[in-house]
Amino acid sequence: MIPIAKPYMNAEEAQRAYDTILSGWITQGPMVKAFEDKFAAYTGAVHAVAVSNCTTALHLAMIVAGIGEGDEVICPSMSYIATANSIKYVNAIPVFAEVNEHYNLDVEDVKKRITPKTKAILLVHQIGMPADIDAFKDLCKEKNLLLIEDAACGIGSAYKGAKIGSHSDLVCFSFHPRKIVTTGDGGMITTNNAAFAERLRLLRQHGMSVNDRERHLSKKIVFEEHVEVGYNYRMTDIQASVGIAQMDKLDEIIGGRRAIADIYLKELKDIAGIRLPHEADGYFTNWQSFSIYIKPECKVSRNELMELLLEDGISSRRGIMTSHREKAYEYMSPVSLPVSEDLCDRSIIIPLYYPMEQSDVYKVIEAIKKFVG
Ligand SMILES: *Cc1c(COP(=O)(O)O)cnc(C)c1O
């Protein structure tokens, strides 16, 4: 069976976790600091703050952005449900907008949904493909809104020559195994705003004024204060040490993924029944997922194709979900987002991971040609 995704880890990650376990410093210590420094340097952001996962990163981003009760935040419905949930955590209102054929927010549709209550736009770089950040930055400036980026899938992707994480003041990443690099679970927030970074560090650790590492390094006794109600959203040093080893592999992983995507794009381009993803000029994707749109005139339906692939030993997944059609957001209905619904219902994600055997890449290609060609 060819899986849809597979993390790339080996003895280096295991060794680093082993060393950390024996070091006696297990959570939010020197390894977390080293991972943050490495991550900031890689993305080009001034600060990086590690947390327990991307969902908690998004929650803290909402808080430091000052989003609260009754505020509206515009986001795509077509995203993993954590995007919308993070807005609910601060008692704000997710306002779902349409996406374009790259599964990213459509700026014209977003404009129509701005009201006097709109406080922020939560921009997702869906399945690794950057959204049009400049268009949203301009819009936020004009309307006095905050821009928050959900870059859960976007590590190593770039927009107009700069890495995701460097463009705005609250960018949230995930290290779940389904993303490009993993720490088991884990998250990171990058920011160029020192005040945001400081408050994020407070909030992730119970609002404590002095963190354990600072206290440990201090030559004097230090008593911490709890200056506001915070959370326990810490990353462990075990996770961070794995993350450091993963960062060393990141460019190799992305290079490998891009080579596989290039083969898919070349070999599948002449099949009339499907539409392939496209990386436009100025956009650089890590290909976190490779999604294919099955056109209505295609000779098999999306679900039929998924079944046929499965019979051939190839895993696939339905396209990205729409949050507004999940039970958790039923209370909002009726919400009509025809583009998102169509993309969700007609897309499949096909296997792409590094390293993927060349023969498996061609097995996927031959199967798709056989069933829809
Ligand atoms: C995976 C994902 C998340 C959640 O990340 P976790 O680290 O699992 O909390 C949020 N948003 C998007 C777009 C995702 O793909």
Side-chain angles (χ1 to χ4, degrees):
M1 195 75 194
I2 304 176
I4 188 82
K6 211 157 64 171
Y8 178 47
M9 287 186 158
N10 51 33
E12 286 144 34
E13 283 77 6
Q15 183 64 46
R16 282 189 184 262
Y18 179 93
D19 292 344
T20 298
I21 287 166
L22 296 187
S23 77
W25 200 310
I26 304 302
T27 200
Q28 203 172 277
M31 287 302 142
V32 168
K33 173 78 169 71
F35 183 33
E36 290 174 339
D37 291 347
K38 210 170 172 90
F39 198 90
Y42 181 86
T43 55
V46 181
H47 308 276
V49 180
V51 289
S52 48
N53 55 64
C54 185
T55 307
T56 55
L58 288 164
H59 182 193
L60 296 189
M62 291 293 150
I63 297 172
V64 302
I67 313 290
E69 180 97 44
D71 292 334
E72 292 177 0
V73 178
I74 301 175
C75 70
S77 164
M78 171 166 260
S79 184
Y80 187 57
I81 199 162
T83 304
N85 287 351
S86 70
I87 299 167
K88 297 286 290 183
Y89 295 160
V90 293
N91 300 315
I93 302 161
V95 174
F96 293 133
E98 279 286 27
V99 292
N100 56 31
E101 68 173 55
H102 304 295
Y103 311 99
N104 279 328
L105 271 182
D106 173 350
V107 72
E108 293 307 320
D109 189 82
V110 168
K111 280 180 191 166
K112 288 186 244 161
R113 298 176 198 267
I114 295 173
T115 75
K117 285 188 184 168
T118 309
K119 261 280 194 64
I121 295 171
L122 180 49
L123 187 63
V124 182
H125 304 297
Q126 200 53 262
I127 56 176
M129 184 64 78
D132 188 0
I133 298 173
D134 282 352
F136 287 94
K137 273 177 120 170
D138 291 348
L139 180 62
C140 286
K141 201 167 169 196
E142 183 196 327
K143 303 284 184 185
N144 197 24
L145 307 174
L146 257 142
L147 184 64
I148 302 168
E149 294 175 60
D150 177 347
C153 304
I155 182 170
S157 295
Y159 173 80
K160 296 188 180 172
K163 292 239 168 65
I164 299 297
S166 61
H167 299 91
S168 74
D169 276 344
L170 288 165
V171 189
C172 302
F173 295 88
S174 172
F175 305 115
H176 182 271
R178 184 64 185 84
K179 317 299 183 187
I180 298 287
V181 287
T182 183
T183 60
D185 259 311
M188 190 76 79
I189 309 158
T190 58
T191 180
N192 299 323
N193 178 321
F196 280 178
E198 193 179 336
R199 183 133 184 257
L200 290 167
R201 290 182 201 288
L202 272 184
L203 287 169
R204 73 173 169 182
Q205 195 183 8
H206 308 288
M208 247 168 81
S209 60
V210 184
N211 71 40
D212 294 333
R213 199 176 50 84
E214 286 162 2
R215 188 169 50 195
H216 179 74
L217 293 172
S218 172
K219 299 272 182 289
K220 301 186 295 242
I221 59 163
V222 180
F223 296 114
E224 67 281 2
E225 290 171 55
H226 295 86
V227 296
E228 65 176 313
V229 176
Y231 302 86
N232 177 1
Y233 287 170
R234 278 186 296 250
M235 176 182 276
T236 69
D237 266 35
I238 304 170
Q239 291 168 305
S241 55
V242 169
I244 291 168
Q246 288 272 281
M247 290 303 287
D248 290 336
K249 296 189 168 80
L250 179 53
D251 285 337
E252 177 195 345
I253 292 172
I254 292 175
R257 301 182 75 94
R258 289 180 60 84
I260 296 163
D262 282 345
I263 300 174
Y264 279 152
L265 289 170
K266 183 165 147 273
E267 297 290 339
L268 300 174
K269 71 172 188 315
D270 294 326
I271 301 177
I274 61 175
R275 186 174 73 217
L276 297 176
H278 173 68
E279 184 185 60
D281 282 349
Y283 292 74
F284 179 94
T285 175
N286 61 19
W287 293 114
Q288 185 267 341
S289 289
F290 195 92
S291 182
I292 294 178
Y293 177 80
I294 317 300
K295 294 180 187 169
E297 64 268 27
C298 186
K299 68 183 190 197
V300 291
S301 72
R302 192 273 306 267
N303 292 2
E304 280 163 357
L305 177 59
M306 289 181 75
E307 268 167 35
L308 290 166
L309 289 172
L310 193 63
E311 283 166 19
D312 257 23
I314 298 166
S315 311
S316 65
R317 295 282 180 277
R318 66 168 187 170
I320 308 141
M321 65 184 295
T322 51
S323 303
H324 72 282
R325 292 189 293 180
E326 294 295 319
K327 202 158 176 63
Y329 288 92
E330 239 172 30
Y331 71 93
M332 286 181 151
S333 67
V335 175
S336 170
L337 295 163
V339 178
S340 302
E341 290 171 16
D342 181 62
L343 282 173
C344 173
D345 296 342
R346 291 189 185 283
S347 298
I348 66 165
I349 291 171
I350 61 172
L352 202 173
Y353 48 89
Y354 175 80
M356 185 173 170
E357 292 289 339
Q358 191 99 343
S359 57
D360 285 343
V361 177
Y362 280 95
K363 203 176 155 205
V364 174
I365 289 165
E366 291 316 317
I368 293 173
K369 281 184 175 165
K370 179 169 74 183
F371 298 133
V372 300

